[in-house]
C-alpha cells in the first residue's frame, strides 16, 4: 500500500508553486510639520525681545546728533578720559570681586560640605534662597551696618562721644568691592556645593588613612574635582560684576564710575544717547567676549 501511494503521488500532476509574497507596500508618508517651523516662534520672540533692541542700540551708536552714519561717537567716547577711567574701574572691580568670591566661596563651601555642624543643611538651603535676593537689598543692609549713620558708627559715637564714626569705606571703591563680594559669593558656592555632593568620600578616607593632612587632601583630592565648578561660578560672577549697576548706585560711592553707571549718566543726566549707546556696545562686547572665552577654555578642559 505504501508503494502504491507513493506511485500515485508521483504520477499526480504537480501544481505550480504559489508566488512568493512581494514586498509590503510602503506606508503612506506622514505629513508632519517640518522641524524648522517649530523653531520659528521662539526665534521670533528672541529676535523681538533681544536682538531688535540690541540692533537699535548699535544703530544709535553709529548715528551722531548731526544725522547720518558715522564713527564719530566711537572716536569721541574712546578719546574721553571719563570713559577710560570707567573702563579701568569696571575691570578691576569685576576681577577683584571675582577673586574674592572664588576664595571666600570655596572656603565656605568646604565648611558647609565637609565640616559637620548643627544647622549645616539649613545654611546650604539658605544659599539657594540668597540667590533670589536683589543686589540693592544687600547694599542697603551694609549701609544700615556700616553707613555714615549706620549701627557701627552709631555705636562708636555712643561709646567714645565722637562727632562721627570711623566707618566711611562704603562710599569708596573698597565699599563697592565688599558689597559685590558679599552679594555674589553664593553664586560661586552653589555650583561648588553641587560638585562636592558628587565627590566620593571614600577618596577622602583613603587619603586620610595614608597620612595626608587636610591641606594636602584639599589640594590634591578636592580642588581638582572643584575646578569645573569654580570656572563656572567664577565666569558667571565676572560677567555679572561687569554689568552691575544697583550696587554702585546704592552705595553712593563718589568717584566710582563704572561702564553701566556711565551709560546711565550719558543717557539720563546728559541726554547724550549716541555716547550712551557706544558705552553700552562696549560693555556688551566685553561681556560676550569673556563668555565666549570661558566656553572655549571649558570645552578644552572637558568641563
Amino acid at each position: 500500500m505504501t508503494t502504491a501511494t507513493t506511485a500515485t503521488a508521483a504520477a499526480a500532476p504537480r501544481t505550480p508553486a504559489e508566488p512568493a509574497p512581494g514586498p509590503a507596500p510602503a506606508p503612506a508618508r506622514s505629513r508632519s510639520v517640518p522641524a524648522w517651523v517649530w523653531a520659528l516662534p521662539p526665534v521670533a520672540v528672541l529676535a523681538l525681545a533681544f536682538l531688535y533692541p540690541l540692533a537699535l542700540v548699535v544703530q544709535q551708536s553709529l548715528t551722531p546728533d548731526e544725522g547720518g552714519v558715522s564713527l564719530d561717537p566711537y572716536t569721541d567716547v574712546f578719546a574721553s578720559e571719563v570713559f577710560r577711567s570707567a573702563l579701568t574701574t569696571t575691570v578691576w572691580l569685576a576681577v577683584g570681586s571675582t577673586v574674592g568670591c572664588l576664595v571666600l566661596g570655596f572656603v565656605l563651601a568646604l565648611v558647609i560640605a565637609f565640616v559637620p555642624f548643627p544647622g549645616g543643611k539649613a545654611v546650604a538651603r539658605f544659599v539657594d534662597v540668597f540667590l533670589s535676593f536683589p543686589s540693592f537689598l544687600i547694599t542697603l543692609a551694609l549701609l544700615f551696618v556700616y553707613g555714615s549713620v549706620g549701627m557701627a558708627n552709631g555705636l562708636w559715637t555712643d561709646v567714645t562721644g565722637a562727632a562721627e564714626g570711623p566707618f566711611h569705606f562704603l562710599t569708596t571703591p573698597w565699599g563697592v568691592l565688599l558689597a559685590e563680594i558679599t552679594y555674589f559669593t553664593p553664586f560661586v558656592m552653589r555650583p561648588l556645593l553641587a560638585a562636592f555632593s558628587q565627590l566620593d568620600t571614600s577618596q577622602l578616607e583613603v587619603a586620610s588613612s595614608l597620612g595626608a593632612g587636610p591641606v594636602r587632601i584639599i589640594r590634591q583630592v578636592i580642588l581638582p574635582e572643584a575646578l569645573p565648578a569654580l570656572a563656572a561660578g567664577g565666569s558667571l560672577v565676572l560677567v555679572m560684576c561687569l554689568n552691575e549697576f544697583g550696587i554702585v548706585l546704592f552705595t553712593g560711592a563718589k568717584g566710582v564710575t563704572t561702564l553701566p553707571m556711565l551709560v546711565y549718566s550719558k543717557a539720563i543726566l546728559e541726554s547724550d544717547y549716541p555716547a550712551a549707546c557706544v558705552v553700552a556696545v562696549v560693555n556688551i562686547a566685553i561681556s560676550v567676549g569673556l563668555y565666549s572665552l570661558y566656553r572655549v577654555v571649558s570645552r578644552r578642559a572637558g568641563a
Side-chain angles (χ1 to χ4, degrees):
M1 181 182 294
T2 304
T3 305
T5 303
T6 305
T8 303
R14 297 179 178 273
T15 58
E18 294 183 2
R29 184 175 298 176
S30 59
R31 297 179 179 179
S32 59
V33 180
W36 61 269
V37 174
W38 296 107
L40 286 179
V43 170
V45 172
L46 178 65
L48 183 62
F50 298 101
L51 299 183
Y52 179 67
L54 179 59
L56 291 179
V57 170
V58 175
Q59 179 186 5
Q60 184 66 44
S61 70
L62 295 171
T63 308
D65 295 332
E66 296 79 12
V69 178
S70 174
L71 292 176
D72 290 342
Y74 283 87
T75 304
D76 296 339
V77 169
F78 291 165
S80 172
E81 178 64 28
V82 175
F83 169 77
R84 292 195 294 267
S85 176
L87 179 61
T88 303
T89 302
T90 302
V91 171
W92 87 258
L93 280 176
V95 173
S97 300
T98 302
V99 173
C101 290
L102 288 175
V103 175
L104 183 60
F106 183 72
V107 173
L108 293 178
L110 278 177
V111 173
I112 295 174
F114 299 109
V115 179
F117 63 93
K121 293 183 178 180
V123 173
R125 293 191 183 97
F126 177 75
V127 172
D128 296 335
V129 177
F130 192 92
L131 298 178
S132 63
F133 290 174
S135 59
F136 69 85
L137 181 63
I138 306 303
T139 308
L140 285 177
L142 291 175
L143 287 173
F144 288 146
V145 177
Y146 298 109
S148 300
V149 292
M151 296 171 55
N153 284 322
L155 182 62
W156 179 273
T157 55
D158 291 341
V159 172
T160 63
E164 60 180 13
F167 304 104
H168 301 286
F169 61 89
L170 279 182
T171 57
T172 67
W174 300 108
V176 177
L177 190 67
L178 173 64
E180 290 188 349
I181 291 176
T182 303
Y183 178 69
F184 290 114
T185 293
F187 289 86
V188 174
M189 294 175 61
R190 183 64 267 169
L192 281 175
L193 291 174
F196 290 159
S197 66
Q198 303 296 325
L199 185 63
D200 189 3
T201 56
S202 62
Q203 300 180 21
L204 307 180
E205 297 173 357
V206 170
S208 178
S209 64
L210 293 176
V215 176
R216 186 175 181 182
I217 292 176
I218 293 174
R219 186 178 68 251
Q220 296 185 355
V221 180
I222 298 178
L223 185 58
E225 297 292 333
L227 285 179
L230 282 172
S235 62
L236 176 63
V237 170
L238 181 61
V239 173
M240 294 178 70
C241 288
L242 284 172
N243 300 283
E244 180 56 39
F245 174 76
I247 289 178
V248 183
L249 180 64
F250 274 84
T251 54
K254 299 178 180 179
V256 180
T257 303
T258 59
L259 291 181
M261 286 294 296
L262 187 59
V263 173
Y264 172 80
S265 175
K266 292 292 184 182
I268 305 301
L269 303 181
E270 303 178 19
S271 298
D272 189 355
Y273 297 107
C277 291
V278 169
V279 179
V281 169
V282 172
N283 203 2
I284 294 171
I286 295 175
S287 301
V288 174
L290 287 175
Y291 177 77
S292 302
L293 179 62
Y294 157 71
R295 294 296 300 173
V296 170
V297 173
S298 63
R299 190 181 300 113
R300 292 184 177 180

